[in-house]
Amino acid sequence: MSQIPQILANELKVDQRQIAAVIQLLDEGSTVPFIARYRKEVTGGLDDTQLRQLHQRLNYLRELDDRRQVILKSIDEQGKLTDELAQRIKAADSKTELEDLYLPYKPKRRTKGQIAIEAGIEPLADLLWNDPTQQPEQAAADYIDADKGFADSKAVLDGARAILMERFAEQAELLKRLRSHLWQTAHLTSTVAPGKEKEGAKFRDYFEFSELFKTIPSHRTLALLRGRNEGFLQLSMDADPGEDDKTAGSHCEVIIADFLNFEHQGRAADDWLRQVIQWTWRVKLSLHMETELMAKVRERAEEAAIQVFASNLKDLLMAAPAGAKATMGLDPGVRTGVKVAVVDETGKVLATNTVFPFQPQNQMDKAMRTLAMLCKQYKVELISIGNGTHSRETDKMVGDMLKQHSEIKASKVIVNEAGASVYSASEQAALEFPDMDVSLRGAVSIARRLQDPLAELVKIEPKSIGVGQYQHDVSQSQLAQSLDAVVEDCVNAVGVDANMASAALLQRVSGLSKTLAKNIVDYRDNNGAFANRKQLLEVPRMGPKAFEQAAGFLRINKGEQPLDASAVHPEAYTVVERIAAANNVPVQELIGNQSLIKGLNAADYTDERFGLPTVTDILAELEKPGRDPRPEFKTANFKDGVDKVSDLKPGMTLEGVVTNVANFGAFVDIGVHQDGLVHISALSNKFVSDPREVVKAGQIVKVKVVEVDLERNRIGLTMRLDDEIAATSTSTKPTAKKGSGKAGGKSSGTGKAKSRPQPANSAMGNALADAFAKAKKG
């Protein structure tokens, strides 16, 4: 346990004292956002990403150490713990290595080898291994005992073989060598399950597939695992790729023989011993290693998929807010109508309605009159339109309405409505709108998410927002933990208005639990708005520790203390007062006084408690108090007349919004109810190793249509706008002539990694198209 700070310091390449300080803070109940923002002196300025990594590794190393103590105790109680073994166990730096060392001593069910040992056959196994000149059948004759289940020489030799196989298979160093060799050379292979060719056609690119375990990308791994789980694919390990005759033996048998210093010299027992080694690999270790490698690539793929989801979620949560303006939310629908909700600048619902402009009612004129009346009555400034079915038709209706009523000064925006329906039926929505129809709650959510995406999206389970890659195929506990951390970091980076925030938003603030968040809302409802941060201590169950962790992230706007509206922590108000006094200005006049603050030297105001990092942050906050780290609000302009997939033609240049980023490319909403796909090789004229280097969720981009597959409802796009796209039929794949730039990427389905430049249309190979579609759904 005492080595953990040093291990973490080496891994993160920081001073051990920083690690020790962070561990102490975490153990005392401090949160990552609080430590990252308000304890920079003791952490040396570690950011939230580094702190999350440190926290995760700290938990792993502590679990490893706990397991180490259990293993040492178990082996010691067996009377088999030597000084050398204890030292090796103490030096093990992974759970895999630890379990390898424990394997020979781990209590297990009775095996063939143990039964043979109990029958007294172990001396024979030792004799044949140590002296191969012995003739096996003759030596075995002395150990025949029918009463113990060994009635002839063959049974005795089988028992001896089982003893040696189990002994060899439990050698930690041998397992390490085999594991290393296979990771470098073995292939993950896939074949179609018998009789599933037609039913599993969506996985046809993996019906005969092979790729190195160590290089297979995460999305391909998850696609293969999904195919196996659905019963369409059979996966296995090819330990000797390229060898046509698999019956000739594996190189892994050579590794085992070398490790055991065995060489066939034509001695009497050599054939039998060689068979023991062959069986050790084929019977005991091959399946074990295959299971291990499968687990390793699955774990690696899950980590990558979770990271993709986390990155996309962060981009979506940190999207630009349109601001505090009266907003109309429209949830498009055909038969059930377009649901309408109007909210004021604080998000309070002012009115709801449902209009039926489309078939079968076709009440277009009435719908437009209703919308115009609501816009005028509540002075609507923004109209938020969900991007679901009939969104473009709804957008056109709103545009026509605004043209007819020029006195209405409102801007219309199509927003991503992912998760709105989940929120509508949630417990949170029921508590917030107990008397409102479920269908109308979605319109409220669509309106609010335009005003402030973060405040509204925190009410929705992150997995329901739809920016993941194979999210249902990964560890749900790890996914939830990672996404919760992202939400927490985003909420605290922006800050929360304590007098307006919902309980769902407040519970994401550093130090606040679900109960405390509800108590804050209840206190606010019963006693009115908070006048200052100190008043938060009057909230039931708000103790000093919770207040310390939360106070800096909770804002009291227009309160008694002007600093309460900033990110300056109450514990540091004395620093601000000292700065104000030194410059002969009241605190109120110091806040926002950029000309004065820019001329100040942070080092002049440090003391024993507040060092240079904290004072520097304070000055930056005073210069632009309550600054929002999110970008400026912008909207995409979808092209008029391009409302559905059949309207698209290869070569069209369009504007769109990135809705999801995966390891293999990006999905882009171009306003036709079906996201298009930009493959990683078509993101830029330069080589791209990670799509997030170029795009992020919510970003507005320009794309060119490469391919339109009407039959499968798929759209291929490129961001390499200089590519010349041949205008061929939309039902077939067009040919794209490579432009002046070059792009690199991975091949799509052969299982062999390539990095040569690819033309834009190669991005939409069948394998990736299938994988993308599944990833989007997943």
Side-chain angles (χ1 to χ4, degrees), residues 4-36:
I4 288 178
Q6 183 60 56
I7 293 171
L8 291 172
N10 293 338
E11 290 181 355
L12 295 176
K13 296 180 174 55
V14 297
D15 192 276
Q16 186 174 341
R17 288 173 297 181
Q18 294 172 258
I19 300 297
V22 173
I23 292 176
Q24 182 177 345
L25 286 168
L26 290 170
D27 288 345
E28 290 173 352
S30 293
T31 67
V32 166
F34 175 80
I35 296 171

mmCIF file of all heavy atoms in Angstrom, residues 4-36:
data_model
loop_
_atom_site.group_PDB
_atom_site.id
_atom_site.type_symbol
_atom_site.label_atom_id
_atom_site.label_comp_id
_atom_site.label_asym_id
_atom_site.label_seq_id
_atom_site.Cartn_x
_atom_site.Cartn_y
_atom_site.Cartn_z
ATOM 1 N N ILE A 4 1.950 2.703 -3.452
ATOM 2 C CA ILE A 4 0.963 3.215 -4.399
ATOM 3 C C ILE A 4 1.263 4.646 -4.843
ATOM 4 O O ILE A 4 1.241 4.925 -6.052
ATOM 5 C CB ILE A 4 -0.462 3.084 -3.824
ATOM 6 C CG1 ILE A 4 -0.876 1.607 -3.814
ATOM 7 C CG2 ILE A 4 -1.460 3.911 -4.624
ATOM 8 C CD1 ILE A 4 -2.248 1.345 -3.226
ATOM 9 N N PRO A 5 1.558 5.598 -3.942
ATOM 10 C CA PRO A 5 1.868 6.953 -4.410
ATOM 11 C C PRO A 5 3.044 6.994 -5.392
ATOM 12 O O PRO A 5 3.002 7.749 -6.373
ATOM 13 C CB PRO A 5 2.203 7.702 -3.110
ATOM 14 C CG PRO A 5 1.442 6.966 -2.050
ATOM 15 C CD PRO A 5 1.512 5.530 -2.463
ATOM 16 N N GLN A 6 4.070 6.178 -5.141
ATOM 17 C CA GLN A 6 5.222 6.166 -6.036
ATOM 18 C C GLN A 6 4.843 5.589 -7.402
ATOM 19 O O GLN A 6 5.270 6.110 -8.441
ATOM 20 C CB GLN A 6 6.357 5.339 -5.422
ATOM 21 C CG GLN A 6 7.641 5.337 -6.258
ATOM 22 C CD GLN A 6 8.210 6.720 -6.455
ATOM 23 O OE1 GLN A 6 8.480 7.426 -5.485
ATOM 24 N NE2 GLN A 6 8.373 7.151 -7.705
ATOM 25 N N ILE A 7 4.040 4.532 -7.397
ATOM 26 C CA ILE A 7 3.599 3.918 -8.662
ATOM 27 C C ILE A 7 2.802 4.934 -9.479
ATOM 28 O O ILE A 7 3.036 5.111 -10.674
ATOM 29 C CB ILE A 7 2.750 2.659 -8.384
ATOM 30 C CG1 ILE A 7 3.603 1.561 -7.751
ATOM 31 C CG2 ILE A 7 2.103 2.150 -9.677
ATOM 32 C CD1 ILE A 7 2.794 0.376 -7.244
ATOM 33 N N LEU A 8 1.860 5.615 -8.825
ATOM 34 C CA LEU A 8 1.037 6.607 -9.520
ATOM 35 C C LEU A 8 1.877 7.787 -10.001
ATOM 36 O O LEU A 8 1.649 8.323 -11.083
ATOM 37 C CB LEU A 8 -0.075 7.098 -8.591
ATOM 38 C CG LEU A 8 -1.171 6.072 -8.259
ATOM 39 C CD1 LEU A 8 -2.102 6.604 -7.179
ATOM 40 C CD2 LEU A 8 -1.961 5.723 -9.509
ATOM 41 N N ALA A 9 2.843 8.182 -9.214
ATOM 42 C CA ALA A 9 3.723 9.289 -9.614
ATOM 43 C C ALA A 9 4.506 8.923 -10.864
ATOM 44 O O ALA A 9 4.667 9.748 -11.782
ATOM 45 C CB ALA A 9 4.671 9.638 -8.473
ATOM 46 N N ASN A 10 4.990 7.689 -10.930
ATOM 47 C CA ASN A 10 5.731 7.242 -12.117
ATOM 48 C C ASN A 10 4.829 7.178 -13.340
ATOM 49 O O ASN A 10 5.233 7.556 -14.446
ATOM 50 C CB ASN A 10 6.356 5.871 -11.859
ATOM 51 C CG ASN A 10 7.452 5.918 -10.805
ATOM 52 O OD1 ASN A 10 8.037 6.976 -10.560
ATOM 53 N ND2 ASN A 10 7.738 4.784 -10.175
ATOM 54 N N GLU A 11 3.597 6.689 -13.156
ATOM 55 C CA GLU A 11 2.668 6.554 -14.279
ATOM 56 C C GLU A 11 2.234 7.910 -14.817
ATOM 57 O O GLU A 11 2.139 8.108 -16.035
ATOM 58 C CB GLU A 11 1.446 5.750 -13.849
ATOM 59 C CG GLU A 11 1.727 4.278 -13.593
ATOM 60 C CD GLU A 11 0.479 3.507 -13.183
ATOM 61 O OE1 GLU A 11 -0.578 4.125 -13.013
ATOM 62 O OE2 GLU A 11 0.577 2.278 -13.051
ATOM 63 N N LEU A 12 1.960 8.855 -13.923
ATOM 64 C CA LEU A 12 1.473 10.173 -14.339
ATOM 65 C C LEU A 12 2.607 11.170 -14.570
ATOM 66 O O LEU A 12 2.364 12.298 -14.998
ATOM 67 C CB LEU A 12 0.504 10.733 -13.293
ATOM 68 C CG LEU A 12 -0.803 9.957 -13.119
ATOM 69 C CD1 LEU A 12 -1.621 10.560 -11.985
ATOM 70 C CD2 LEU A 12 -1.618 9.956 -14.406
ATOM 71 N N LYS A 13 3.837 10.719 -14.219
ATOM 72 C CA LYS A 13 5.030 11.573 -14.406
ATOM 73 C C LYS A 13 4.901 12.899 -13.649
ATOM 74 O O LYS A 13 5.121 13.975 -14.196
ATOM 75 C CB LYS A 13 5.287 11.819 -15.902
ATOM 76 C CG LYS A 13 5.625 10.550 -16.670
ATOM 77 C CD LYS A 13 5.880 10.814 -18.146
ATOM 78 C CE LYS A 13 6.364 9.582 -18.869
ATOM 79 N NZ LYS A 13 5.481 8.418 -18.722
ATOM 80 N N VAL A 14 4.506 12.785 -12.391
ATOM 81 C CA VAL A 14 4.417 13.951 -11.517
ATOM 82 C C VAL A 14 5.108 13.611 -10.194
ATOM 83 O O VAL A 14 5.475 12.455 -9.945
ATOM 84 C CB VAL A 14 2.959 14.368 -11.251
ATOM 85 C CG1 VAL A 14 2.281 14.795 -12.531
ATOM 86 C CG2 VAL A 14 2.175 13.239 -10.588
ATOM 87 N N ASP A 15 5.279 14.611 -9.342
ATOM 88 C CA ASP A 15 5.953 14.419 -8.069
ATOM 89 C C ASP A 15 5.103 13.566 -7.126
ATOM 90 O O ASP A 15 3.882 13.706 -7.075
ATOM 91 C CB ASP A 15 6.241 15.781 -7.423
ATOM 92 C CG ASP A 15 7.197 15.651 -6.246
ATOM 93 O OD1 ASP A 15 6.711 15.343 -5.138
ATOM 94 O OD2 ASP A 15 8.410 15.847 -6.439
ATOM 95 N N GLN A 16 5.776 12.725 -6.357
ATOM 96 C CA GLN A 16 5.065 11.836 -5.444
ATOM 97 C C GLN A 16 4.284 12.616 -4.390
ATOM 98 O O GLN A 16 3.230 12.176 -3.922
ATOM 99 C CB GLN A 16 6.057 10.890 -4.764
ATOM 100 C CG GLN A 16 5.388 9.819 -3.902
ATOM 101 C CD GLN A 16 6.375 8.805 -3.355
ATOM 102 O OE1 GLN A 16 7.478 8.674 -3.876
ATOM 103 N NE2 GLN A 16 5.993 8.103 -2.310
ATOM 104 N N ARG A 17 4.780 13.807 -4.024
ATOM 105 C CA ARG A 17 4.074 14.618 -3.026
ATOM 106 C C ARG A 17 2.719 15.090 -3.551
ATOM 107 O O ARG A 17 1.752 15.213 -2.787
ATOM 108 C CB ARG A 17 4.939 15.815 -2.635
ATOM 109 C CG ARG A 17 6.152 15.444 -1.768
ATOM 110 C CD ARG A 17 7.063 16.623 -1.557
ATOM 111 N NE ARG A 17 7.629 17.077 -2.826
ATOM 112 C CZ ARG A 17 8.495 18.099 -2.932
ATOM 113 N NH1 ARG A 17 8.862 18.769 -1.856
ATOM 114 N NH2 ARG A 17 8.986 18.441 -4.112
ATOM 115 N N GLN A 18 2.648 15.350 -4.868
ATOM 116 C CA GLN A 18 1.362 15.729 -5.458
ATOM 117 C C GLN A 18 0.362 14.578 -5.331
ATOM 118 O O GLN A 18 -0.802 14.782 -4.969
ATOM 119 C CB GLN A 18 1.541 16.078 -6.945
ATOM 120 C CG GLN A 18 2.383 17.306 -7.223
ATOM 121 C CD GLN A 18 2.669 17.447 -8.693
ATOM 122 O OE1 GLN A 18 3.755 17.139 -9.163
ATOM 123 N NE2 GLN A 18 1.687 17.905 -9.455
ATOM 124 N N ILE A 19 0.836 13.381 -5.638
ATOM 125 C CA ILE A 19 -0.029 12.202 -5.569
ATOM 126 C C ILE A 19 -0.511 11.982 -4.142
ATOM 127 O O ILE A 19 -1.708 11.735 -3.899
ATOM 128 C CB ILE A 19 0.717 10.953 -6.075
ATOM 129 C CG1 ILE A 19 1.169 11.131 -7.527
ATOM 130 C CG2 ILE A 19 -0.167 9.718 -5.920
ATOM 131 C CD1 ILE A 19 0.043 11.291 -8.511
ATOM 132 N N ALA A 20 0.402 12.070 -3.189
ATOM 133 C CA ALA A 20 0.032 11.861 -1.790
ATOM 134 C C ALA A 20 -1.009 12.883 -1.341
ATOM 135 O O ALA A 20 -1.952 12.543 -0.611
ATOM 136 C CB ALA A 20 1.283 11.950 -0.915
ATOM 137 N N ALA A 21 -0.862 14.123 -1.801
ATOM 138 C CA ALA A 21 -1.812 15.176 -1.432
ATOM 139 C C ALA A 21 -3.191 14.892 -2.017
ATOM 140 O O ALA A 21 -4.219 15.065 -1.335
ATOM 141 C CB ALA A 21 -1.293 16.530 -1.911
ATOM 142 N N VAL A 22 -3.242 14.447 -3.272
ATOM 143 C CA VAL A 22 -4.525 14.141 -3.909
ATOM 144 C C VAL A 22 -5.197 12.964 -3.213
ATOM 145 O O VAL A 22 -6.407 12.982 -2.943
ATOM 146 C CB VAL A 22 -4.330 13.829 -5.413
ATOM 147 C CG1 VAL A 22 -5.646 13.348 -6.026
ATOM 148 C CG2 VAL A 22 -3.830 15.060 -6.152
ATOM 149 N N ILE A 23 -4.419 11.925 -2.911
ATOM 150 C CA ILE A 23 -4.987 10.756 -2.227
ATOM 151 C C ILE A 23 -5.594 11.164 -0.890
ATOM 152 O O ILE A 23 -6.694 10.724 -0.528
ATOM 153 C CB ILE A 23 -3.901 9.674 -2.026
ATOM 154 C CG1 ILE A 23 -3.477 9.087 -3.387
ATOM 155 C CG2 ILE A 23 -4.409 8.564 -1.105
ATOM 156 C CD1 ILE A 23 -2.344 8.089 -3.293
ATOM 157 N N GLN A 24 -4.899 12.023 -0.160
ATOM 158 C CA GLN A 24 -5.421 12.487 1.130
ATOM 159 C C GLN A 24 -6.723 13.259 0.940
ATOM 160 O O GLN A 24 -7.696 13.050 1.678
ATOM 161 C CB GLN A 24 -4.391 13.364 1.833
ATOM 162 C CG GLN A 24 -4.855 13.849 3.208
ATOM 163 C CD GLN A 24 -3.804 14.659 3.939
ATOM 164 O OE1 GLN A 24 -2.635 14.645 3.566
ATOM 165 N NE2 GLN A 24 -4.209 15.386 4.979
ATOM 166 N N LEU A 25 -6.763 14.139 -0.055
ATOM 167 C CA LEU A 25 -7.976 14.917 -0.318
ATOM 168 C C LEU A 25 -9.148 14.009 -0.694
ATOM 169 O O LEU A 25 -10.270 14.191 -0.220
ATOM 170 C CB LEU A 25 -7.715 15.933 -1.435
ATOM 171 C CG LEU A 25 -6.865 17.148 -1.051
ATOM 172 C CD1 LEU A 25 -6.425 17.912 -2.294
ATOM 173 C CD2 LEU A 25 -7.645 18.074 -0.114
ATOM 174 N N LEU A 26 -8.885 13.033 -1.563
ATOM 175 C CA LEU A 26 -9.935 12.100 -1.969
ATOM 176 C C LEU A 26 -10.445 11.297 -0.771
ATOM 177 O O LEU A 26 -11.651 11.110 -0.601
ATOM 178 C CB LEU A 26 -9.416 11.157 -3.053
ATOM 179 C CG LEU A 26 -9.159 11.774 -4.431
ATOM 180 C CD1 LEU A 26 -8.416 10.785 -5.318
ATOM 181 C CD2 LEU A 26 -10.467 12.188 -5.092
ATOM 182 N N ASP A 27 -9.516 10.837 0.064
ATOM 183 C CA ASP A 27 -9.904 10.050 1.227
ATOM 184 C C ASP A 27 -10.680 10.889 2.241
ATOM 185 O O ASP A 27 -11.461 10.346 3.038
ATOM 186 C CB ASP A 27 -8.662 9.444 1.892
ATOM 187 C CG ASP A 27 -8.050 8.311 1.063
ATOM 188 O OD1 ASP A 27 -8.752 7.817 0.149
ATOM 189 O OD2 ASP A 27 -6.896 7.941 1.315
ATOM 190 N N GLU A 28 -10.471 12.192 2.221
ATOM 191 C CA GLU A 28 -11.200 13.083 3.128
ATOM 192 C C GLU A 28 -12.568 13.472 2.589
ATOM 193 O O GLU A 28 -13.317 14.202 3.247
ATOM 194 C CB GLU A 28 -10.367 14.348 3.379
ATOM 195 C CG GLU A 28 -9.112 14.101 4.229
ATOM 196 C CD GLU A 28 -8.219 15.342 4.317
ATOM 197 O OE1 GLU A 28 -8.508 16.324 3.588
ATOM 198 O OE2 GLU A 28 -7.252 15.314 5.095
ATOM 199 N N GLY A 29 -12.884 13.003 1.370
ATOM 200 C CA GLY A 29 -14.207 13.260 0.816
ATOM 201 C C GLY A 29 -14.271 14.378 -0.204
ATOM 202 O O GLY A 29 -15.367 14.773 -0.622
ATOM 203 N N SER A 30 -13.120 14.902 -0.635
ATOM 204 C CA SER A 30 -13.125 15.952 -1.659
ATOM 205 C C SER A 30 -13.437 15.348 -3.020
ATOM 206 O O SER A 30 -13.060 14.204 -3.311
ATOM 207 C CB SER A 30 -11.773 16.657 -1.711
ATOM 208 O OG SER A 30 -11.540 17.401 -0.523
ATOM 209 N N THR A 31 -14.109 16.117 -3.850
ATOM 210 C CA THR A 31 -14.457 15.647 -5.190
ATOM 211 C C THR A 31 -13.395 16.070 -6.193
ATOM 212 O O THR A 31 -12.619 17.007 -5.944
ATOM 213 C CB THR A 31 -15.803 16.227 -5.632
ATOM 214 O OG1 THR A 31 -15.658 17.649 -5.813
ATOM 215 C CG2 THR A 31 -16.890 15.938 -4.623
ATOM 216 N N VAL A 32 -13.398 15.408 -7.340
ATOM 217 C CA VAL A 32 -12.435 15.751 -8.384
ATOM 218 C C VAL A 32 -12.603 17.197 -8.866
ATOM 219 O O VAL A 32 -11.617 17.931 -8.993
ATOM 220 C CB VAL A 32 -12.534 14.753 -9.558
ATOM 221 C CG1 VAL A 32 -11.784 15.281 -10.788
ATOM 222 C CG2 VAL A 32 -11.965 13.401 -9.148
ATOM 223 N N PRO A 33 -13.834 17.675 -9.158
ATOM 224 C CA PRO A 33 -13.972 19.068 -9.589
ATOM 225 C C PRO A 33 -13.450 20.067 -8.553
ATOM 226 O O PRO A 33 -12.816 21.065 -8.901
ATOM 227 C CB PRO A 33 -15.483 19.230 -9.797
ATOM 228 C CG PRO A 33 -15.962 17.858 -10.095
ATOM 229 C CD PRO A 33 -15.127 16.963 -9.237
ATOM 230 N N PHE A 34 -13.705 19.804 -7.272
ATOM 231 C CA PHE A 34 -13.240 20.706 -6.220
ATOM 232 C C PHE A 34 -11.716 20.718 -6.166
ATOM 233 O O PHE A 34 -11.085 21.781 -6.095
ATOM 234 C CB PHE A 34 -13.810 20.282 -4.867
ATOM 235 C CG PHE A 34 -13.284 21.085 -3.705
ATOM 236 C CD1 PHE A 34 -13.802 22.342 -3.427
ATOM 237 C CD2 PHE A 34 -12.257 20.589 -2.907
ATOM 238 C CE1 PHE A 34 -13.315 23.098 -2.361
ATOM 239 C CE2 PHE A 34 -11.762 21.336 -1.844
ATOM 240 C CZ PHE A 34 -12.291 22.589 -1.571
ATOM 241 N N ILE A 35 -11.113 19.539 -6.206
ATOM 242 C CA ILE A 35 -9.645 19.454 -6.136
ATOM 243 C C ILE A 35 -9.019 20.151 -7.348
ATOM 244 O O ILE A 35 -8.045 20.900 -7.210
ATOM 245 C CB ILE A 35 -9.195 17.981 -6.072
ATOM 246 C CG1 ILE A 35 -9.710 17.317 -4.786
ATOM 247 C CG2 ILE A 35 -7.680 17.873 -6.138
ATOM 248 C CD1 ILE A 35 -9.508 15.811 -4.745
ATOM 249 N N ALA A 36 -9.588 19.886 -8.531
ATOM 250 C CA ALA A 36 -9.028 20.468 -9.755
ATOM 251 C C ALA A 36 -9.121 21.991 -9.747
ATOM 252 O O ALA A 36 -8.219 22.680 -10.231
ATOM 253 C CB ALA A 36 -9.756 19.907 -10.973
#
